[in-house]
Amino acid sequence: QVQLEESGGGVVPAGGSLRLSCKASGRIDNTFTMAWFRQAPGKEREFVAGNRRRGDVTYYTDSVKDRFTMSRDNTESAISLQMNSLKPDDTAVYFCATNRRLILSAVRTSSAYSYWGRGTQVTVSS
C-alpha cells in the first residue's frame, strides 16, 4: 500500500505563486509514476503534470506550461509543484497520484492511478 499526503494549498491573488508538496509513504520506489491532477467545481479531474519515473521527462498540460514546475525527490519519495503566475482558472482541488510505472500513454489518465492523496485546495482570486 502507498499513502500520499498533499500540503501547501491556500488562497492567493491572481499573478501570485504557491508551492504544493506531496509526501509518499509505504511501498513506493523510484520506478513509480507520480503526477499532479486537479479538479475544479463541476468539472472532471484533469492532468496537470507528471513523469513516469525519476529522471524521466516531466509532462505538463498545455494550460500550465511555462508557469508550473514539477519536481521529484525520490530520496524522500516526495514531489512538489511550483505554481507561478496563477490565474483564477487554476482554482481547484489539487491531487497527488501515483502508480507502478505506467506506459507513456497512461500518464495523463486519472483512471490509471491506484493511489491518491486527499487533495489540497488552491483558490486564486481575481
Side-chain angles (χ1 to χ4, degrees):
Q1 287 291 337
V2 176
Q3 296 79 41
L4 301 171
E5 183 175 5
E6 304 96 338
S7 61
V11 180
V12 62
S17 299
L18 278 176
R19 185 179 181 87
L20 306 183
S21 297
C22 173
K23 181 73 181 293
S25 59
R27 303 182 69 175
I28 186 170
D29 58 44
N30 291 352
T31 66
F32 273 55
T33 295
M34 299 193 77
W36 288 97
F37 286 79
R38 65 186 181 185
Q39 188 166 18
K43 294 186 177 181
E44 294 187 356
R45 192 169 297 187
E46 68 166 345
F47 172 81
V48 176
N51 71 7
R52 297 176 67 202
R53 61 175 294 171
R54 185 186 182 201
D56 278 3
V57 172
T58 299
Y59 301 93
Y60 298 90
T61 192
D62 287 347
S63 63
V64 308
K65 283 180 181 177
D66 300 323
R67 299 188 300 122
F68 290 12
T69 302
M70 173 178 158
S71 299
R72 181 165 178 170
D73 178 359
N74 276 93
T75 301
E76 296 187 356
S77 298
I79 59 173
S80 62
L81 186 68
Q82 178 65 43
M83 305 185 294
N84 298 327
S85 303
L86 282 161
K87 305 174 181 179
D89 284 349
D90 295 319
T91 295
V93 177
Y94 284 70
F95 297 90
C96 175
T98 192
N99 197 83
R100 292 190 182 278
R101 190 179 183 188
L102 297 174
I103 59 175
L104 183 57
S105 61
V107 171
R108 299 172 183 264
T109 305
S110 60
S111 60
Y113 291 81
S114 298
Y115 304 104
W116 292 84
R118 293 186 176 183
T120 185
Q121 176 71 46
V122 171
T123 302
V124 184
S125 60
S126 57

